[in-house]
C-alpha cells in the first residue's frame, strides 16, 4: 500500500512562495529579492531564494557565496546556506556552472527542464518563505515556473518597476501575465525612486516620479512602497554584505522594512 502513496514533496515544508516579477530588465528584481530575504530573516523567518534567472544569475554574488558548490542528498540537491544558522538558503544555476563566465546558451525546452528540476529536486526543508527571483519578461521561463509551482499554491507575485513610463509600460504587461496565469499580485514596488544624496540627504528624482504608484492605483493592486537609489545599498550588494544590519539610518532601510512588514501582515491575515 505504501508504494502507492505520493512521495513527500521537497516543497512540503515551505509555508509561503513569493514570485518577484517585472516585464523589464535592470529594475532591481534581484536586489528586492535579496533585501526582502534579509528583512524577513531579521523578523525571525527562515527564507529560501530560488534564482530562476538562468542567463543572469546574480543572487549568489549578492550573498557572497558564488564559489559554493551544490551537493546531492537522498531527496535531491542541498541548497547553499549563507550563514551558520541556515536562516537563508539559495539555489541558482550560478552554482552549477563550471566557470563563472560560462554563458547559458540554451533553447526553451532545456531551460524549462531545469526550472522543473529546481522546483522538484531542491531539498529546502522547513521554510517560512521561498522567494523566486525571475528573469525579465513573460516568456518560457515564467510559464514553466508558474506551472511547476501551481500545485503548491504560491502566495502571489511582487512586481518591480522603476518610475519612468517605459518601465511602467513593460510592468503593465506583467500584470496581464499574472491575470492570465491566475497569479495573485501582492503589490507593486517602485525601485530606484529618487536618489538620496549621502551628503545633504536631498532626494533627486533621476528617472521621474510616481509611475509605480499610479500603475498600482490604475490596476487596483496594493502599492508596497518606493525604494530610493542608495549608493550604500548598491555597495553592500556588490560586496555581499547585510544592508539591513549595516545601514539602519539609510533612507532605503525603512522602505524595505515596510515592504517586508506588509508581506508578513498579508500572510498572517490569510492564515488567520
Amino acid at each position: 500500500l505504501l508504494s502507492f502513496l505520493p512521495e513527500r514533496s521537497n516543497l512540503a515544508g515551505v509555508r509561503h512562495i513569493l514570485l518577484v516579477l517585472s516585464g523589464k530588465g535592470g529594475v532591481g528584481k534581484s536586489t528586492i529579492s535579496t533585501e526582502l530575504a534579509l528583512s524577513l530573516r531579521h523578523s525571525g523567518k527562515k527564507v529560501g531564494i530560488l534564482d530562476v534567472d538562468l542567463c543572469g544569475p546574480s543572487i549568489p554574488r549578492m550573498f557572497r557565496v558564488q564559489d559554493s558548490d551544490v551537493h546531492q542528498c537522498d531527496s535531491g540537491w542541498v541548497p547553499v546556506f549563507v550563514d551558520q544558522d541556515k536562516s537563508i538558503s539559495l539555489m541558482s544555476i550560478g552554482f552549477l556552472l563550471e566557470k563563472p563566465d560560462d554563458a547559458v546558451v540554451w533553447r526553451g525546452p532545456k531551460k524549462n527542464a531545469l526550472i522543473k528540476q529546481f522546483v522538484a529536486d531542491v531539498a529546502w526543508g522547513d521554510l517560512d518563505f521561498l522567494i523566486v527571483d525571475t528573469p525579465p519578461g513573460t516568456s518560457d521561463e515564467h510559464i514553466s515556473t508558474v506551472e511547476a509551482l501551481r500545485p503548491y499554491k504560491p502566495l502571489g507575485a511582487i512586481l518591480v518597476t522603476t518610475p519612468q513610463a517605459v518601465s511602467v509600460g513593460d510592468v503593465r504587461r506583467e500584470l496581464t501575465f499574472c491575470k492570465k496565469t491566475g497569479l495573485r499580485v501582492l503589490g507593486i514596488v517602485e525601485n530606484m525612486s529618487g536618489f538620496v544624496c549621502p551628503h545633504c540627504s536631498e532626494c533627486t528624482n533621476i528617472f521621474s516620479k510616481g509611475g509605480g504608484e499610479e500603475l498600482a492605483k490604475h490596476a487596483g493592486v496594493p502599492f508596497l512602497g518606493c525604494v530610493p537609489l542608495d549608493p550604500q545599498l548598491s555597495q553592500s550588494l556588490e560586496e555581499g554584505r547585510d544592508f539591513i544590519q549595516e545601514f539602519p539610518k539609510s533612507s532605503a532601510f525603512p522602505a524595505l522594512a515596510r515592504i517586508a512588514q506588509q508581506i508578513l501582515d498579508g500572510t498572517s491575515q490569510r492564515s488567520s
Side-chain angles (χ1 to χ4, degrees):
L1 175 70
L2 284 174
S3 61
F4 294 111
L5 293 174
E7 283 180 53
R8 187 177 189 270
S9 148
N10 273 329
L11 287 171
V14 177
R15 294 180 63 198
H16 303 293
I17 302 171
L18 297 173
L19 285 90
V20 178
L21 300 170
S22 176
K24 188 150 182 54
V27 296
K29 288 180 294 300
S30 299
T31 298
I32 297 295
S33 298
T34 298
E35 298 306 326
L36 188 54
L38 290 168
S39 300
L40 291 167
R41 175 176 73 181
H42 282 280
S43 301
K45 303 297 179 191
K46 280 190 88 168
V47 189
I49 302 185
L50 175 56
D51 181 5
V52 295
D53 190 349
L54 303 183
C55 297
S58 48
I59 291 287
R61 169 86 192 251
M62 289 179 171
F63 285 95
R64 210 198 261 165
V65 289
Q66 64 268 39
D67 298 327
S68 302
D69 294 319
V70 167
H71 302 287
Q72 295 276 346
C73 67
D74 291 347
S75 46
W77 286 329
V78 182
V80 170
F81 296 99
V82 304
D83 55 359
Q84 292 308 135
D85 303 339
K86 300 190 170 182
S87 58
I88 296 184
S89 49
L90 313 175
M91 177 51 77
S92 168
I93 195 173
F95 300 130
L96 307 176
L97 301 174
E98 278 182 28
K99 296 198 268 317
D101 295 340
D102 284 353
V104 178
V105 188
W106 292 356
R107 289 187 186 276
K110 197 170 177 185
K111 287 181 181 174
N112 299 347
L114 182 67
I115 288 169
K116 283 184 185 139
Q117 202 175 348
F118 272 170
V119 170
D121 292 350
V122 179
W124 293 106
D126 291 331
L127 291 180
D128 295 299
F129 289 91
L130 177 63
I131 298 169
V132 184
D133 183 33
T134 65
T138 53
S139 57
D140 263 19
E141 289 103 308
H142 302 81
I143 297 164
S144 298
T145 304
V146 173
E147 288 304 311
L149 289 171
R150 200 183 296 286
Y152 308 101
K153 299 189 172 51
L155 181 64
I158 294 168
L159 270 51
V160 183
T161 186
T162 48
Q164 68 271 48
V166 171
S167 174
V168 169
D170 287 347
V171 177
R172 192 174 276 124
R173 295 181 190 102
E174 200 73 42
L175 279 162
T176 312
F177 171 83
C178 291
K179 208 174 280 178
K180 281 191 167 165
T181 53
L183 195 57
R184 182 166 160 252
V185 176
L186 300 174
I188 292 174
V189 172
E190 184 177 291
N191 197 24
M192 307 183 204
S193 185
F195 169 72
V196 180
C197 173
H199 305 294
C200 69
S201 300
E202 189 181 330
C203 185
T204 308
N205 294 314
I206 292 177
F207 292 129
S208 68
K209 193 176 188 295
E213 192 164 7
E214 196 61 37
L215 176 61
K217 208 179 288 177
H218 175 77
V221 299
F223 181 64
L224 298 175
C226 299
V227 181
L229 268 171
D230 184 334
Q232 290 176 322
L233 174 56
S234 313
Q235 197 182 344
S236 74
L237 287 162
E238 291 277 284
E239 295 168 7
R241 303 203 324 264
D242 187 338
F243 177 79
I244 304 281
Q245 211 158 17
E246 291 188 15
F247 302 110
K249 291 191 172 72
S250 154
S251 50
F253 176 87
L256 292 161
R258 227 178 2 254
I259 292 164
Q261 192 53 54
Q262 287 177 81
I263 301 297
L264 289 168
D265 292 347
T267 57
S268 61
Q269 280 168 8
R270 288 196 86 192
S271 48
S272 59

